[in-house]
């Protein structure tokens, strides 16, 4: 019978990785040569050197600030890989809400946003979830990816680092060696970005012409 329980040495190693991940910065190199994409390891490494995703809970007498950064790797992992459908759907709904929250809190901030490093991890996951075998997952993330493309292709954001992270995720998806559906969706995302970039450019040019006349 196989078991997922870690032996004492593995548990100590995991605790060390989690500590270094929480601290962030260049101390990641203390780990040495490690496959950061190995199963389980990616969830132990911080996506940024400092907490970014802050959610303020306004209680009656005090405002509590909760940082969601440390939860994001596990939320993404559960959304993609959980074998329990209820857990998977809950993780997907939470991830969907967090992404909308991140976009909304920086909608009118100048680029780059503080979320660039996090987006580099989240955007590839969103494209994979948009082609997931589960229907609810697809219904959540396929429209969301297209909405993100419409947003980031606007003239004020199309050269930002966040936009480049989304484009790189779409390009990588088109070259995926395992999933034909992911390749097709990646190509669709790139075509949508091009179409909406042209649309935004025409809109900007028309506005400029109207202002000058």
């Amino acid at each position: 019978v196989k078991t997922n329980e870690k032996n004492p040495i593995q548990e100590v190693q995991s605790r060390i990785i989690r500590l270094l991940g929480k601290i962030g910065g260049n101390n990641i190199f203390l780990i040495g040569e490690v496959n950061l994409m190995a199963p389980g390891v990616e969830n132990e490494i911080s996506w940024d050197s400092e907490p970014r995703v802050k959610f303020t809970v306004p209680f009656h007498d005090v405002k509590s600030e909760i940082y969601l950064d440390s939860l994001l790797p596990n939320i993404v992992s559960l959304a993609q890989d959980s074998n329990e459908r209820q857990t998977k759907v809950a993780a997907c709904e939470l991830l969907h809400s967090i992404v909308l929250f991140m976009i909304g809190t920086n909608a009118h901030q100048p680029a780059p946003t503080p979320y660039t490093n996090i987006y580099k991890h989240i955007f590839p996951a969103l494209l994979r979830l948009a082609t997931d075998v589960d229907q609810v997952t697809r219904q959540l993330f396929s429209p969301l990816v297209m909405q993100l493309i419409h947003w980031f292709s606007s003239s004020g954001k199309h050269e930002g680092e966040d936009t480049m992270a989304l484009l790189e995720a779409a390009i990588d998806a088109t070259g995926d060696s395992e999933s034909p559906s992911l390749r097709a969706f990646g190509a669709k995302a790139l075509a949508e970005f091009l179409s909406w970039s042209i649309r935004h450019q025409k809109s900007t040019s028309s506005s400029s012409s109207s202002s000058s006349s």
Side-chain angles (χ1 to χ4, degrees):
V1 179
K2 293 184 179 180
T3 176
N4 292 327
E5 293 183 1
K6 299 178 181 177
N7 62 43
I9 295 179
Q10 290 175 323
E11 181 62 31
V12 171
Q13 291 173 335
S14 294
R15 292 177 67 180
I16 292 172
I17 292 174
R18 285 195 296 269
L19 175 62
L20 292 174
K22 289 180 180 179
I23 296 173
N26 292 331
N27 60 46
I28 188 174
F29 296 112
L30 293 174
I31 300 176
E33 294 296 327
V34 174
N35 179 10
L36 298 179
M37 297 307 295
V41 175
E42 67 273 16
N43 298 333
E44 311 288 355
I45 303 298
S46 175
W47 287 352
D48 207 328
S49 58
E50 59 183 273
R52 303 284 189 181
V53 188
K54 181 177 68 174
F55 180 73
T56 302
V57 183
F59 292 108
H60 178 68
D61 55 345
V62 66
K63 288 186 178 180
S64 297
E65 295 180 348
I66 301 175
Y67 286 92
L68 305 176
D69 302 67
S70 62
L71 301 176
L72 278 172
N74 284 315
I75 293 172
V76 170
S77 177
L78 289 172
Q80 293 183 115
D81 303 321
S82 178
N83 293 324
E84 297 183 5
R85 189 170 186 276
Q86 186 175 0
T87 300
K88 179 183 179 70
V89 171
C92 286
E93 291 176 342
L94 179 56
L95 177 60
H96 187 278
S97 299
I98 291 175
V99 171
L100 291 179
F101 172 76
M102 293 169 65
I103 297 294
T105 53
N106 284 274
H108 302 291
Q109 299 296 322
T113 72
Y115 298 144
T116 299
N117 289 333
I118 298 175
Y119 285 151
K120 290 178 180 178
H121 293 271
I122 285 185
F123 287 158
L126 297 185
L127 269 79
R128 290 192 293 271
L129 290 167
T131 59
D132 195 270
V133 294
D134 183 80
Q135 182 180 1
V136 173
T137 303
R138 293 196 308 273
Q139 289 175 343
L140 279 172
F141 291 101
S142 181
L144 177 61
V145 170
M146 293 303 162
Q147 290 166 3
L148 292 175
I149 288 173
H150 299 167
W151 174 254
F152 284 109
S153 62
S154 63
S155 59
K157 299 181 180 297
H158 72 283
E159 294 182 354
E161 293 183 23
D162 298 345
T163 303
M164 295 308 300
L166 180 58
L167 276 176
E168 288 174 5
I171 292 171
D172 289 343
T174 61
D176 186 82
S177 60
E178 299 180 356
S179 174
S181 60
L182 181 57
R183 292 196 296 270
F185 188 78
K188 179 181 178 182
L190 289 175
E192 188 79 359
F193 185 90
L194 177 60
S195 173
W196 275 77
S197 294
I198 295 173
R199 182 180 302 188
H200 286 306
Q201 187 62 40
K202 288 182 177 178
S203 177
T204 302
S205 300
S206 298
S207 299
S208 300
S209 299
S210 300
S211 299
S212 59
S213 59

